[in-house]
């Protein structure tokens, strides 16, 4: 289960969205999960990803399950960093 720890001890969850293209249903699922788990901030990053910030550690497994990763469908776990270049400025 992927998540990035933040300075305040909460976590950041970045669902993988292939090529930055998504559907209304996937956006709705992200919004529903953010509301259900009281995620305080949803951010579009500079590299065009959606980042759920302020996630509690105990909520991580259920968030990924609700996003659809547990059944191998839906939104999969992404990464917020890489050793290669992904976005040029």
């Amino acid at each position: 289960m992927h998540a990035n720890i933040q300075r305040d001890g909460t976590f950041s969850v970045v669902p993988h969205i292939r090529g930055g293209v998504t559907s209304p249903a996937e956006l709705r699922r992200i919004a529903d999960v953010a509301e259900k788990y009281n995620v305080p901030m949803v951010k579009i990053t500079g590299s065009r990803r959606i980042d759920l910030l302020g996630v509690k550690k105990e909520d991580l497994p259920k968030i990924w399950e609700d996003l659809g990763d547990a059944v191998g469908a839906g939104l999969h776990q992404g990464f917020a960093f890489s050793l290669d270049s992904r976005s040029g400025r």
Side-chain angles (χ1 to χ4, degrees), residues 10-25:
T10 63
F11 289 82
S12 165
V13 170
V14 183
H16 181 82
I17 298 174
R18 296 178 197 270
V21 177
T22 188
S23 68

Side-chain angles (χ1 to χ4, degrees), residues 3-73:
N4 302 300
I5 192 160
Q6 304 298 296
R7 282 184 236 168
D8 65 358
T10 63
F11 289 82
S12 165
V13 170
V14 183
H16 181 82
I17 298 174
R18 296 178 197 270
V21 177
T22 188
S23 68
E26 285 181 340
L27 288 174
R28 199 171 296 112
R29 188 178 333 180
I30 292 169
D32 290 346
V33 166
E35 287 179 345
K36 179 177 179 179
Y37 294 98
N38 298 312
V39 175
M41 184 184 301
V42 179
K43 174 183 173 182
I44 305 294
T45 71
S47 56
R48 297 173 293 288
R49 297 163 198 242
I50 295 178
D51 194 350
L52 298 131
L53 294 161
V55 174
K56 297 176 204 151
K57 184 176 183 177
E58 60 269 16
D59 291 338
L60 289 171
K62 286 292 187 184
I63 282 178
W64 282 118
E65 184 177 320
D66 287 355
L67 287 173
D69 196 52
V71 294

